[in-house]
Amino acid sequence: MKRLTLVLLLLAGCSSTPKSKPQDPTLSRLDHAGDIAFDLEQPDQAVTQFRAALARAHTADNASAIADAGFNLATAELRAGRPHDALRTAQELTAGLARRGIVDPDFELISATALFRLDNLPASARAANRLTAAKSPALTNAAWFLLGLIADQRHDRTGLEKAIASMTPAADPGDLAELQARLAHSAPLALHAADLRRTQLDYRGMARALALAAQYSANARNATDLYLRAGRSAAGQGDAANAKAWLGSARGLAPDTALRTDAEHALHDLSSRPAHGSN
């Protein structure tokens, strides 16, 4: 079975890389269907397929397949904007695997990410802190990135500096650039982070970086344009909550009628789009 790549999971889009393939052809087909839906940015469909794959893995009582299918399901639930579901999936899989004597720290990162999106910063920070000593550099760097975001939300400059200093040379350059932009309150650094995210096809992270650049921009016209770009990208991804917030900021900051009208049209288009799950 293949597990969706962890490195781009955190607050971002995910690609996938092959792992061991199952002998069960039904499980293989369900896994493949989930991958296709995920890659086509249809996370709700991916959730359906990965949930079926998880059920099939339980039918086979295959611990490795259960872990992979559960991870993929929780990842798709995060992408679909359903952090409550992702958290529940991660907790259920963690408990079930523990009864088999298996510890899979990837589910800790899913839990930490879901808790962050649910604005439960204390619980998210506790989960992320447990990962800072993980053996996997990808996990530790992702944990420090999340801790940096949490520190920024808490206006904890010391915590943000510590997160940046703790990331290894193997850290994702987009993650590092984003945290540096937050530390410096720098629009150019945020735009650099957005460029890196775009290159990685991490459009969720790109939109977040564009909105960050807008927040730090001293020019109302530039800020409006950046919020408009961020909002349109988020809308295209089915991220209605962020799209509404960023497009609303664009409308409020717009220095002229033309930009305000563009923002209003984008907000109107957003209201007619089917959104992913809201929780």
Side-chain angles (χ1 to χ4, degrees):
M1 183 148 193
K2 63 193 296 188
R3 182 179 290 206
L4 298 171
T5 300
L6 176 67
V7 177
L8 297 182
L9 163 65
L10 189 59
L11 305 167
C14 301
S15 60
S16 56
T17 53
K19 291 192 74 173
S20 58
K21 289 292 184 180
Q23 298 301 313
D24 184 334
T26 299
L27 181 54
S28 182
R29 285 193 293 270
L30 291 169
D31 177 51
H32 183 60
D35 287 340
I36 290 174
F38 196 92
D39 291 343
L40 290 175
E41 299 184 358
Q42 299 294 328
D44 289 309
Q45 293 181 24
V47 165
T48 298
Q49 297 299 327
F50 286 137
R51 184 177 291 118
L54 178 58
R56 183 67 177 182
H58 277 297
T59 297
D61 193 36
N62 183 326
S64 177
I66 288 169
D68 285 350
F71 178 88
N72 290 349
L73 172 60
T75 302
E77 287 168 338
L78 280 176
R79 172 71 76 86
R82 294 153 62 173
H84 281 294
D85 293 343
L87 180 61
R88 182 172 58 250
T89 296
Q91 290 172 337
E92 289 176 353
L93 267 293
T94 297
L97 292 171
R99 291 193 293 271
R100 297 170 181 259
I102 299 171
V103 176
D104 190 333
D106 289 2
F107 288 106
E108 187 88 89
L109 180 59
I110 288 176
S111 295
T113 303
L115 288 163
F116 178 81
R117 294 192 188 177
L118 293 168
D119 294 322
N120 189 339
L121 299 188
S124 179
R126 287 194 296 272
N129 269 307
R130 288 192 291 269
L131 289 170
T132 57
K135 294 180 180 179
S136 164
L139 273 175
T140 57
N141 283 320
W144 281 116
F145 174 61
L146 181 54
L147 287 168
L149 293 180
I150 292 169
D152 185 54
Q153 285 207 13
R154 290 172 165 172
H155 306 290
D156 175 7
R157 183 178 179 84
T158 300
L160 181 52
E161 289 174 338
K162 180 179 180 180
I164 293 171
S166 299
M167 296 177 79
T168 73
D172 179 89
D175 288 352
L176 187 58
E178 180 174 340
L179 293 187
Q180 290 170 335
R182 291 177 183 276
L183 182 65
H185 288 197
S186 167
L189 281 177
L191 287 172
H192 175 58
D195 288 340
L196 291 170
R197 302 291 198 196
R198 186 182 300 107
T199 300
Q200 298 168 325
L201 306 184
D202 172 9
Y203 297 139
R204 183 184 181 97
M206 181 201 71
R208 188 177 63 248
L210 288 172
L212 192 65
Q215 179 183 334
Y216 297 147
S217 177
N219 181 287
R221 179 175 294 279
N222 289 344
T224 299
D225 180 62
L226 288 165
Y227 273 129
L228 187 59
R229 288 162 56 186
R232 283 173 169 162
S233 177
Q237 299 171 63
D239 183 1
N242 278 325
K244 184 176 181 180
W246 294 333
L247 292 173
S249 294
R251 181 175 60 185
L253 285 172
D256 57 49
T257 301
L259 273 173
R260 188 175 303 108
T261 299
D262 281 351
E264 289 172 348
H265 286 168
L267 281 165
H268 180 269
D269 290 343
L270 177 65
S271 66
S272 63
R273 285 177 179 266
H276 298 324
S278 59
N279 63 337

